[in-house]
Amino acid sequence: MAAAAVDSAMEVVPALAEEAAPEAAGLSCLVNLPGEVLEYILCSGSLTAADIGRVSSTCRRLRELCQSSGKVWKEQFRVRWPSLMKHYSPTDYVNWLEEYKVRQKAGLEARKIVASFSKRFFSEHVPCNGFSDIENLEGPEIFFEDELVCILNMEGRKALTWKYYAKKILYYLRQQKILNNLKAFLQQPDDYESYLEGAVYIDQYCNPLSDISLRDIQAQIDSIVELVCKTLRGINSRHPSLAFKAGESSMIMEIELQSQVLDAMNYVLYDQLKFKGNRMDYYNALNLYMHQVLIRRTGIPISMSLLYLTIARQLGVPLEPVNFPSHFLLRWCQGAEGATLDIFDYIYIDAFGKGKQLTVKECEYLIGQHVTAALYGVVNVKKVLQRMVGNLLSLGKREGIDQSYQLLRDSLDLYLAMYPDQVQLLLLQARLYFHLGIWPEKVLDILQHIQTLDPGQHGAVGYLVQHTLEHIERKKEEVGVEVKLRSHEKHRDVCYAIGLIMKHKRYGYNCVIYGWDPTCMMGHEWIRNMNVHSLPHGHHQPFYNVLVEDGSCRYAAQENLEYNVEPQEISHPDVGRYFSEFTGTHYIPNAELEIRYPEDLESVYETVQNIYSAKKENVE
C-alpha cells in the first residue's frame, strides 16, 4: 500500500505541471498529500538545495517539512557530501541547513586558496608560512579537507595544477594533526602500552593521504582474533580466552593455556592466512606500515611482532616486546609469578620466523653474536616507536630516485617529535632542507637550536648559516619573470616546446618538457661530470628540463631527445606544478608556465598536427 501511494504521488508531480488549473490549485493538491509521501518526493534526489529553498517558501506545510534539522536537508547534505556523514551520530541533533551552508562556504574558501597557490608559489617550494592562511580559516577543518579530497577526486586529466596544490595542502594539514596526536600520545604514562596505536600514528604520518584509522586496523585484527578463537575452540572448547569480550584486557596465567593460544595463533597467521616475514623485499618502507602489513600479509620483525603481540594480548597471553639487536623479538615468561626472573626464564618468540620459539642461545645464533643480558629486557612504547622510526630513517637515507626525500623528511619529523634535542638529526634535517633549497628561514631556526644545544657544532652550523643567508639574499634580488620567446633570434635552434612528450634516444625513458635553454646553462663541473663535451654538438645546443616517468627531473640535450610516437601520461609528482591538462598527445601548460613560454603552445599544436595526426591518417 505504501509503495502504491508513493508511486501515485510521484505521478502527481508531472500531472500537476500539465494541468491548466491555476497554480494555487496545483499547490493545494500537492500539500494535501500525506507527509511521508511529500517527504519522499522532496528527498528523491531530483531537487537541488536552491529548489528546496524555494519550495519551503511557498507555504507553511512545506516550510515545516523542510525544517533545518529535518530529513529533507539531511538528505541534501548526504547526497552532496556523502563522505562527511560518518562524522555525525544518529542520535545527535544537527541543524542540517546550517551545516550545508558552512560546508558550502568552506568549499568556496578551499578552492579560492588552492587557486591562489600556483600564482604565489610557482617559482619556489611552498614556504613554512605558506599554509598560515589555511590554519586561520574559520569553520570545521573536516569540511575544508573534504573539499580538498573532492578536488583530488575530480575525474579526467584536467585541473592538474589544482590537484597538485590540493594534495600539498591536504598533506600538510593531516600531518600537522597526526603529529599533534602523536605528541599527546607520547605524554601518556609509561604503563600505557598501546603499541598498536603508536604504530598507527607512524603509518598515518607517512601516508597522510590514505584513509588509515586505528579503528579500521583494530577491526581487521579483531577478525583475525575470531579465526584464532575458532581454532582454539577445536583445541580446548573450555579455554578461558573464548569467554573474553571485545575490549577486555584479562590475562590468563597458566602456561599450558597460554601455549594453546600461541599454537592456535601460529596456525591461523602462518598456515591459514599465510603471513610471513618479507625476506625478498626486506628494505621496503611498506613493511613498517601496519595497514600494509595486514593487506600484504608480510612485514619485518618489528611490524610482525606488533601484530603478534596485539593478538596475543587480546587473547590473554602477556607477551612483551624485546628490542633485540638486528632482529626484534617478543618474550614469553615461563617463571612463577612473583619469583625473581632472569633472561633464561623466558622463551623468545620470532614473529618474523613464523612464531618460532627460541632459547637465549638460539637468539644469539639468530643474529650471529653474543649480547649482554640487558638487551633481552622489555622496552616501553616510546622505545618501540623509536626503533620503527629509526628503520624508516635508514630507508629514507637510502632513497635514490625520490628527489623530494619525502620518507627521510617524514621520519626525521617523527624522530624529532619524540627526541627534539637530537643534535645529529637536527643537523641532518637542516642539511636536507638546504640541499632541497626549501624553507631557508626554518633552516636558520634549526641551526640556532643546534648551536644552543651543542656549541661544539659551530663549524658545520657556521657554514650552513652563511650559505643559507646567501640563498635568502639571492631570492630577494630576483626580479620579475624571465620570458623566453621562440621567435627571438637567439632561440632559433630550439626545436621542441614545453608540454611535448619525448623519448630519450640513449636511455629510453619517457618524459615531458617543462623548460628549455638555448644552450646548456649548467656549470663547468656539471658539464664535465655529465661528459657533455662528448656529444657531437657539446654544450652549444638547446637543453631541456624534463620530468621523467621514474619521478626524476633531468636536463637533456636536444640531440638526445626525439618525439614519442606513442605519447602517454608521465606519472611524475610535479606534473601538476607546470601543467593544467593532459590531452592524450601533450600537456597544456598552466597559466604561470605559459607566461614564461608564451609562444610554445602554438608550436606544440603544430607539432601534434604534423606528428600525431599524420600517424593517425597512415594507420587508417
Side-chain angles (χ1 to χ4, degrees):
M1 290 292 291
V6 168
D7 290 340
S8 61
M10 293 302 288
E11 292 170 5
V12 168
V13 179
L16 286 173
E18 294 172 4
E19 289 179 357
E23 189 175 317
L27 179 61
S28 175
C29 182
L30 183 65
V31 298
N32 285 332
L33 291 171
E36 61 180 23
V37 176
L38 271 175
E39 197 173 66
Y40 181 90
I41 295 171
L42 295 171
C43 294
S44 63
S46 57
L47 300 177
T48 66
D51 293 332
I52 298 298
R54 286 190 287 268
V55 166
S56 65
S57 65
T58 55
C59 68
R60 182 184 299 173
R61 177 93 193 281
L62 291 176
R63 184 164 61 252
E64 290 173 351
L65 276 171
C66 299
Q67 60 180 303
S68 59
S69 59
K71 186 176 179 181
V72 174
W73 277 110
K74 179 180 180 180
E75 184 63 12
Q76 283 289 323
F77 189 93
R78 185 196 68 80
V79 170
R80 183 76 183 275
W81 302 293
S83 62
L84 289 174
M85 296 306 293
K86 63 186 178 184
H87 298 288
Y88 298 93
S89 170
T91 59
D92 289 344
Y93 170 83
V94 179
N95 186 326
W96 291 106
L97 174 57
E98 188 61 30
E99 291 293 284
Y100 192 101
K101 291 178 180 178
V102 174
R103 171 61 182 85
Q104 181 86 341
K105 182 179 178 182
L108 294 173
E109 286 293 320
R111 288 175 175 264
K112 181 180 177 182
I113 289 173
V114 170
S116 73
F117 262 55
S118 182
K119 186 174 182 179
R120 292 162 59 196
F121 305 123
F122 178 80
S123 300
E124 61 174 334
H125 190 279
V126 181
C128 293
N129 59 1
F131 299 101
S132 57
D133 47 357
I134 300 166
E135 295 172 333
N136 296 329
L137 279 175
E138 296 180 1
E141 190 176 287
I142 56 169
F143 287 178
F144 189 78
E145 286 191 14
D146 187 65
E147 186 64 33
L148 296 174
V149 172
C150 289
I151 293 172
L152 288 176
N153 292 334
M154 290 168 66
E155 294 183 6
R157 300 160 169 177
K158 299 183 178 181
L160 299 181
T161 300
W162 274 55
K163 292 177 182 178
Y164 174 79
Y165 286 106
K167 182 177 179 180
K168 279 193 172 299
I169 295 169
L170 187 60
Y171 204 99
Y172 172 82
L173 285 177
R174 288 189 173 174
Q175 280 201 326
Q176 290 301 111
K177 183 164 58 178
I178 295 162
L179 202 60
N180 290 335
N181 291 339
L182 175 61
K183 289 177 179 178
F185 171 80
L186 293 171
Q187 297 303 313
Q188 300 284 352
D190 288 343
D191 57 354
Y192 184 76
E193 296 185 332
S194 181
Y195 298 95
L196 181 65
E197 184 179 350
V200 169
Y201 282 132
I202 292 172
D203 191 348
Q204 290 173 329
Y205 191 81
C206 294
N207 303 282
L209 301 183
S210 300
D211 189 12
I212 302 165
S213 71
L214 178 61
R215 181 181 59 189
D216 290 343
I217 288 177
Q218 184 62 62
Q220 293 179 65
I221 291 176
D222 288 344
S223 67
I224 298 175
V225 170
E226 288 179 15
L227 291 175
V228 175
C229 286
K230 185 177 179 180
T231 300
L232 188 59
R233 195 170 287 110
I235 298 173
N236 180 355
S237 61
R238 296 184 177 182
H239 197 286
S241 295
L242 299 174
F244 289 173
K245 296 178 181 178
E248 206 171 71
S249 58
S250 301
M251 290 294 164
I252 51 179
M253 306 313 299
E254 294 84 352
I255 298 297
E256 179 59 31
L257 293 176
Q258 293 178 7
S259 180
Q260 290 173 358
V261 171
L262 298 182
D263 288 343
M265 281 177 54
N266 289 343
Y267 170 75
V268 170
L269 283 173
Y270 304 113
D271 295 335
Q272 188 176 344
L273 298 179
K274 307 299 182 184
F275 276 85
K276 62 180 180 180
N278 195 348
R279 300 179 188 275
M280 299 297 293
D281 191 17
Y282 191 91
Y283 298 103
N284 186 330
L286 298 181
N287 292 324
L288 283 150
Y289 304 144
M290 294 309 295
H291 84 284
Q292 287 291 347
V293 171
L294 290 165
I295 291 171
R296 300 161 73 234
R297 299 189 180 183
T298 190
I300 58 173
I302 191 166
S303 55
M304 294 291 287
S305 292
L306 290 186
L307 174 62
Y308 199 98
L309 173 73
T310 303
I311 296 171
R313 288 193 169 194
Q314 282 189 221
L315 292 169
V317 182
L319 300 184
E320 298 173 303
V322 177
N323 210 5
F324 205 63
S326 304
H327 200 102
F328 201 88
L329 296 171
L330 300 171
R331 73 179 191 181
W332 173 29
C333 183
Q334 304 294 296
E337 185 179 4
T340 302
L341 304 175
D342 61 25
I343 62 174
F344 299 100
D345 292 309
Y346 293 89
I347 285 177
Y348 300 88
I349 297 176
D350 180 13
F352 182 82
K354 296 190 174 183
K356 186 177 180 180
Q357 296 176 7
L358 308 171
T359 64
V360 169
K361 196 168 189 67
E362 288 171 329
C363 290
E364 294 180 350
Y365 180 76
L366 181 67
I367 64 171
Q369 67 182 81
H370 174 72
V371 297
T372 63
L375 294 175
Y376 288 90
V378 66
V379 287
N380 62 19
V381 174
K382 191 172 182 180
K383 287 294 183 183
V384 172
L385 299 187
Q386 179 187 3
R387 179 148 176 177
M388 288 191 83
V389 175
N391 286 339
L392 287 170
L393 194 58
S394 297
L395 294 176
K397 292 176 182 177
R398 294 164 61 103
E399 284 181 337
I401 204 65
D402 181 10
Q403 296 184 348
S404 70
Y405 291 93
Q406 192 63 58
L407 179 57
L408 181 56
R409 289 160 62 182
D410 290 345
S411 53
L412 279 170
D413 288 344
L414 289 167
Y415 208 107
L416 290 169
M418 293 187 284
Y419 301 98
D421 295 336
Q422 284 278 340
V423 170
Q424 291 306 315
L425 293 184
L426 286 167
L427 194 55
L428 175 59
Q429 189 177 57
R431 284 171 171 159
L432 177 60
Y433 291 157
F434 177 78
H435 168 74
L436 295 173
I438 62 175
W439 301 343
E441 292 80 9
K442 186 170 183 177
V443 171
L444 292 177
D445 289 341
I446 295 170
L447 294 174
Q448 185 177 6
H449 183 47
I450 293 171
Q451 190 65 39
T452 303
L453 292 171
D454 184 5
Q457 296 289 338
H458 62 86
V461 169
Y463 174 85
L464 285 172
V465 167
Q466 178 186 343
H467 286 80
T468 301
L469 290 173
E470 290 175 359
H471 172 77
I472 293 173
E473 287 302 315
R474 284 196 300 271
K475 294 295 291 183
K476 289 179 180 178
E477 292 171 3
E478 291 178 1
V479 290
V481 173
E482 183 183 7
V483 177
K484 295 181 179 179
L485 301 174
R486 302 180 68 81
S487 58
H488 197 284
E489 176 63 20
K490 67 178 181 180
H491 299 151
R492 65 181 183 277
D493 294 330
V494 177
C495 296
Y496 307 131
I498 57 169
L500 288 174
I501 310 296
M502 310 298 291
K503 194 176 189 71
H504 198 279
K505 296 178 183 178
R506 183 175 179 183
Y507 299 120
Y509 61 71
N510 298 314
C511 59
V512 58
I513 297 171
Y514 71 94
W516 50 257
D517 296 310
T519 60
C520 181
M521 301 300 289
M522 301 299 280
H524 295 297
E525 185 177 352
W526 185 90
I527 291 173
R528 184 177 65 253
N529 291 339
M530 300 303 293
N531 205 22
V532 172
H533 292 300
S534 66
L535 296 172
H537 295 92
H539 67 282
H540 296 296
Q541 62 174 310
F543 271 70
Y544 297 84
N545 301 104
V546 295
L547 302 175
V548 184
E549 57 191 345
D550 63 7
S552 63
C553 304
R554 305 192 187 184
Y555 196 50
Q558 180 166 280
E559 64 183 78
N560 281 337
L561 295 176
E562 61 183 356
Y563 295 118
N564 190 325
V565 294
E566 296 182 353
Q568 54 190 327
E569 281 189 88
I570 304 298
S571 56
H572 191 286
D574 284 344
V575 161
R577 179 177 179 180
Y578 303 102
F579 303 102
S580 61
E581 179 182 350
F582 179 65
T583 66
T585 56
H586 63 282
Y587 280 93
I588 295 177
N590 59 26
E592 284 67 38
L593 189 62
E594 191 172 4
I595 288 172
R596 289 152 176 80
Y597 298 90
E599 298 175 349
D600 272 40
L601 195 54
E602 184 178 349
S603 175
V604 168
Y605 289 147
E606 292 176 5
T607 300
V608 169
Q609 184 67 27
N610 295 335
I611 302 296
Y612 303 120
S613 298
K615 181 191 173 187
K616 184 178 180 181
E617 291 172 3
N618 291 336
V619 170
E620 291 174 349

